[in-house]
Amino acid sequence: MRLRRCGDRAVLVEVGSLDEVEAVRAAVVGARLDEVVEVVPAARTVLVVTRDGGQARVRRVLEGVDLGRRSAGEAREVVVPVVYDGPDLALVADTAGIAVEEVVRLHSEAVYSVAFCGFAPGFGYLVGLPEALHQPRLDSPRTRVPAGSVGVAGEYTAAYPRATPGGWRLIGRTDAPLFDVHRDPAALLAPGDRVRFEVVR
C-alpha cells in the first residue's frame, strides 16, 4: 500500500488489486470517522477526502488495514431486473462456447459487488462475473449505447445509466432507475453494494 497526499484534505491510497481496494474502502467507511467527507474507490486506488486536519486519523486507520482480508460487513443488496435480448448476446455465447441460455443463467445467477463507479454518473463497475463470461470489448465501439443496456467487458458487468458511446458487449436491458438527480442518493448503485440481476421474461 502506498499513500500519497492530495492537497491539504485528501489521501490517495494506491494498492495492487480490486480486493485490496475493497479492503481499504471498507476499513475507512467502517471506521465512521467524522473527519471523512468522501471515499472514492477506483480500479487500483482509493481517494479519501477529509475535513481540515483529518488526514492524520485516516492514516492511522489505513495503517491497520489487512489487505488480504475481505470485508465481512453488511452490504446493501440491489436487485436489477433484466430482459436478456441484447444485440451481442449471441456473440457472447459464441465467444464463450456456450448456449445463449447458459449465458443468461450464468449472468443472472451470480452475485456481484460494486467495485467502483465511473465513466458516467451512476455507472457501477460490478465484479463477480463468471469467468466464462469474461469478454473483450467490441473491436469498434458504438457511438450510442441506449440507456439501461446491460453489458460485459473484461472481468466486469454493468448497466448504462444513460445513452452514451460504449464498447461493452450488450446482453440485455433494464428499466431500473440507475441515476435520478431528483433522488437522494441520485445513483442506484454505490461501491460495496451487492447486486443481483433478475430475469424478466
Side-chain angles (χ1 to χ4, degrees):
M1 180 191 306
R2 177 179 294 180
L3 307 184
R4 295 186 181 275
R5 183 173 178 172
C6 290
D8 296 328
R9 296 176 52 198
V11 176
L12 184 69
V13 186
E14 297 180 342
V15 292
S17 70
L18 282 169
D19 285 344
E20 293 179 355
V21 165
E22 173 56 18
V24 170
R25 185 205 67 79
V28 175
V29 171
R32 301 184 185 279
L33 301 179
D34 291 337
E35 294 87 346
V36 173
V37 175
E38 189 174 16
V39 180
V40 185
R44 296 292 182 269
T45 62
V46 181
L47 180 69
V48 183
V49 182
T50 68
R51 295 184 173 85
D52 290 338
Q55 287 191 0
R57 288 195 69 189
V58 168
R59 286 177 179 269
R60 285 196 290 274
V61 169
L62 293 172
E63 288 169 1
V65 174
D66 180 355
L67 294 178
R69 182 180 177 188
R70 297 187 66 87
S71 170
E74 289 295 319
R76 186 176 67 117
E77 183 172 278
V78 181
V79 177
V80 178
V82 178
V83 177
Y84 286 92
D85 62 354
D88 303 317
L89 185 57
L91 173 63
V92 169
D94 185 61
T95 302
I98 58 180
V100 164
E101 293 76 15
E102 183 68 358
V103 172
V104 174
R105 186 189 70 79
L106 288 172
H107 190 265
S108 62
E109 289 185 358
V111 178
Y112 303 92
S113 297
V114 181
F116 56 94
C117 297
F119 174 63
F123 191 102
Y125 288 78
L126 278 58
V127 293
L129 184 69
E131 190 170 350
L133 301 183
H134 290 195
Q135 304 258 324
R137 287 170 168 77
L138 297 173
D139 292 335
S140 179
R142 293 179 170 90
T143 57
R144 185 180 185 278
V145 174
S149 295
V150 176
V152 296
E155 64 185 301
Y156 303 109
T157 187
Y160 285 73
R162 63 181 185 182
T164 62
W168 291 39
R169 296 186 177 192
L170 306 180
I171 60 174
R173 55 189 165 88
T174 182
D175 60 3
L178 299 165
F179 189 79
D180 182 352
V181 295
H182 303 294
R183 181 178 59 200
D184 185 22
L188 177 64
L189 304 179
D193 286 349
R194 297 288 183 263
V195 179
R196 291 190 304 106
F197 292 106
E198 184 176 77
V199 179
V200 176
R201 302 294 180 185

